[in-house]
Amino acid sequence: SQQGEEDPQALSIQEGENATMNCSYKTSINNLQWYRQNSGRGLVHLILIRSNEREKHSGRLRVTLDTSKKSSSLLITASRAADTASYFCATALLGGSTLGRLYFGRGTQLTVWP
Amino acid sequence: ETGVTQSPTHLIKTRGQQVTLRCSSQSGHNTVSWYQQALGQGPQFIFQYYREEENGRGNFPPRFSGLQFPNYSSELNVNALELDDSALYLCASSRGRGGDGNTIYFGEGSWLTVV
């Protein structure tokens, strides 16, 4: 079973609107990273948030983390057509044999219409 | 640009053949991980190399093997290819083993099609 799951699976919005994607996970984490993937391309790192952090910002991106609910959200403000991509959350667990391994969900496909 | 380069970008192999994929990690990074991403799925961890030693393995059979070289570049080898091995293979590098809060950077991937 997936450690992380994104919701919704697909999101379609107009340019200028905000897009919110959610991620839930099952076990305690060291950190959580959000990635973007254009169709058929590699993963681009967006933000890393550590388990002792609650919110981080980077440009038009805002990420929150609620470890009590085992969930995270990614907000993209004032979206653009170029933001169209798949977005993945990836969790890094606390350590032991899983140290250094990222667990991905199936992603949210975001489409931004001009 | 993430500084992680992979080759080849695309290749087609026949079932039963063997394939080698290559990855150059970002400068200063001593850890390389490999992931398999099937169409419509998230990446799945294959294994990780840290300072030339295997440092963790996902749920993949032994016909998936790897190497890390002294310059921290890496290879992924897959023997006895099966149709289900068709996927995007992603290489990722980091300073340290990644789970301790270091950002993990991915390459553009190698598309493998097995026919």
Side-chain angles (χ1 to χ4, degrees):
Chain A
S1 62
Q2 301 280 354
Q3 155 68 350
E5 287 292 344
E6 294 87 350
D7 174 66
Q9 291 185 11
L11 181 60
S12 185
I13 60 175
Q14 295 287 330
E15 265 191 332
E17 294 181 339
N18 295 341
T20 299
M21 289 159 270
N22 302 297
C23 170
S24 59
Y25 57 91
K26 296 179 180 176
T27 59
S28 297
I29 62 172
N30 176 287
N31 66 76
L32 185 148
Q33 306 188 33
W34 283 91
Y35 289 85
R36 164 198 167 120
Q37 185 177 42
N38 288 354
S39 181
R41 305 292 299 277
L43 296 170
V44 175
H45 184 265
L46 297 176
I47 287 185
L48 181 153
I49 186 165
R50 293 179 171 78
S51 59
N52 61 352
E53 297 175 316
R54 292 297 167 257
E55 186 171 314
K56 287 189 81 169
H57 297 256
S58 177
R60 294 185 294 115
L61 306 180
R62 172 179 170 254
V63 167
T64 62
L65 178 64
D66 186 336
T67 53
S68 67
K69 295 182 179 178
K70 293 186 170 56
S71 68
S72 174
S73 68
L74 170 66
L75 169 67
I76 304 174
T77 60
S79 63
R80 305 165 181 168
D83 293 329
T84 294
S86 292
Y87 291 82
F88 293 90
C89 71
T91 52
L93 304 189
L94 280 176
S97 63
T98 61
L99 186 66
R101 172 178 177 173
L102 289 179
Y103 293 82
F104 288 83
R106 289 190 174 88
T108 292
Q109 173 60 50
L110 173 66
T111 303
V112 182
W113 298 99
Chain B
E1 288 294 326
T2 64
V4 181
T5 58
Q6 294 186 241
S7 63
T9 55
H10 295 81
L11 70 167
I12 300 174
K13 289 285 188 177
T14 303
R15 190 170 48 182
Q17 285 188 316
Q18 179 264 344
V19 68
T20 297
L21 307 178
R22 294 178 176 83
C23 172
S24 293
S25 58
Q26 190 180 115
S27 177
H29 287 186
N30 55 17
T31 303
V32 171
S33 302
W34 287 91
Y35 289 78
Q36 180 196 65
Q37 186 179 19
L39 207 58
Q41 303 292 317
Q44 297 291 314
F45 177 79
I46 303 175
F47 44 56
Q48 181 184 82
Y49 282 84
Y50 173 65
R51 294 183 176 178
E52 303 178 59
E53 298 282 334
E54 188 179 292
N55 181 56
R57 187 178 183 92
N59 189 26
F60 281 82
R63 59 190 185 83
F64 286 77
S65 63
L67 281 174
Q68 188 179 31
F69 300 101
N71 67 354
Y72 301 133
S73 65
S74 177
E75 287 183 354
L76 165 65
N77 299 291
V78 187
N79 294 322
L81 285 167
E82 301 176 359
L83 297 179
D84 285 349
D85 296 332
S86 296
L88 178 66
Y89 288 84
L90 294 161
C91 172
S93 80
S94 60
R95 190 190 309 273
R97 287 170 287 179
D100 52 0
N102 292 306
T103 298
I104 297 174
Y105 296 93
F106 284 80
E108 289 291 320
S110 294
W111 276 106
L112 172 64
T113 302
V114 182
V115 297

